[in-house]
Amino acid sequence: METLSNGFTLDIPTGAFPLSTDSILLCDFVNLPRNARVLDFGSGCGTLGTLLCAKDSHCHVTGVELDSVAHEAAVENIRRNQLTDRMESMCADLRTVCLTGGFDCCVSNPPYYTGGPASQQTPLARRDDCCTLTELIVAAGKMLKFGGDFCLVHKPERLAEICAVAAANKLEPKRLRLIRHREDGDVSLILLSCRKGGKPGLLWEERCLFHSNGQPTDYYKFLYHL
């Protein structure tokens, strides 16, 4: 059982994707308008949705998750945290699901790799066997309203691919945050926000989690409320 801010808790069953720094980074990166309708693709047991509800008391999050075990865990997490009026989970394939009305924001912490060994603990979490990056971006573009934002966390080596596919689906890259695990290390993660119908113009910034001596940075302390 993980304890989040605002007193929320998160029960993650065996085999479900765990609470990770990636989700915490993405939650901090997302800027939501007031009363935002948020769509979470690959929502697992409701981790990112619960984090967003803890961050913003006025948003409403709809999660779409393919794995039935993770979906049932999300339903229980929503019930236990008394979020039934602000959060919901659907057990569905994001490539075929049809939701009415445009969403203000779509978020995703998707599988990062197209190949390599599959995780025995979380087989759907590491490789994009069930949904490619292109399929994810196409689905986000369909569900967002004009001016809505698609925000995701991914690996830096796929940045060019993400930007190209996003632009082809009328999602203009607008904000980029580069994450270094250590200040003397390479970029290990990217956070990208793309706006549906947005004009060209990309703002970018860098963040670091640990100093070269291994001590946490102020940014890391902020993320984890230390």
Side-chain angles (χ1 to χ4, degrees):
M1 184 77 69
E2 299 280 356
T3 301
L4 309 179
S5 59
N6 286 2
F8 293 159
T9 59
L10 194 67
D11 188 11
I12 303 174
T14 301
F17 192 73
L19 175 64
S20 67
T21 300
D22 304 27
S23 295
I24 293 173
L25 287 166
L26 181 56
C27 177
D28 174 65
F29 177 72
V30 173
N31 289 331
L32 295 179
R34 186 171 178 81
N35 299 318
R37 294 184 66 225
V38 184
L39 183 61
D40 180 7
F41 276 154
S43 51
C45 56
T47 301
L48 186 54
T50 306
L51 287 169
L52 288 171
C53 285
K55 173 183 176 179
D56 186 331
S57 61
H58 298 287
C59 68
H60 183 282
V61 181
T62 299
V64 178
E65 172 55 43
L66 184 62
D67 183 77
S68 60
V69 174
H71 159 70
E72 291 298 333
V75 171
E76 176 57 24
N77 282 324
I78 292 167
R79 183 203 61 78
R80 190 181 57 259
N81 288 300
Q82 300 181 359
L83 289 171
T84 52
D85 60 338
R86 297 182 49 213
M87 187 174 168
E88 60 185 331
S89 178
M90 300 176 58
C91 189
D93 189 328
L94 66 86
R95 296 168 294 185
T96 58
V97 68
C98 183
L99 300 171
T100 58
F103 286 82
D104 299 290
C105 184
C106 178
V107 297
S108 185
N109 180 6
Y112 293 153
Y113 305 103
T114 58
S119 170
Q120 294 183 351
Q121 290 76 30
T122 52
L124 299 181
R126 180 178 173 85
R127 301 192 323 198
D128 60 4
D129 297 341
C130 294
C131 182
T132 66
L133 182 59
T134 296
E135 290 171 328
L136 172 68
I137 294 173
V138 168
K142 289 179 180 179
M143 301 298 178
L144 283 169
K145 72 177 186 181
F146 187 86
D149 292 326
F150 173 48
C151 301
L152 80 164
V153 56
H154 222 289
K155 301 298 287 184
E157 54 264 33
R158 301 193 72 181
L159 176 59
E161 178 187 1
I162 294 169
C163 290
V165 176
N169 287 276
K170 297 182 172 56
L171 294 169
E172 185 66 30
K174 298 296 294 182
R175 294 173 54 227
L176 172 65
R177 181 175 292 176
L178 309 178
I179 303 294
R180 298 180 191 273
H181 186 75
R182 290 172 64 103
E183 59 189 358
D184 55 352
D186 295 331
V187 173
S188 56
L189 289 171
I190 59 166
L191 299 155
L192 183 66
S193 177
C194 303
R195 180 157 297 168
K196 185 172 183 177
K199 296 180 180 180
L202 178 65
L203 299 176
W204 66 275
E205 59 194 27
E206 293 191 33
R207 295 286 190 273
C208 180
L209 300 178
F210 294 93
H211 296 294
S212 56
N213 62 5
Q215 294 299 310
T217 62
D218 289 342
Y219 178 57
Y220 181 92
K221 294 176 182 178
F222 169 77
L223 291 173
Y224 284 93
H225 306 282
L226 302 178

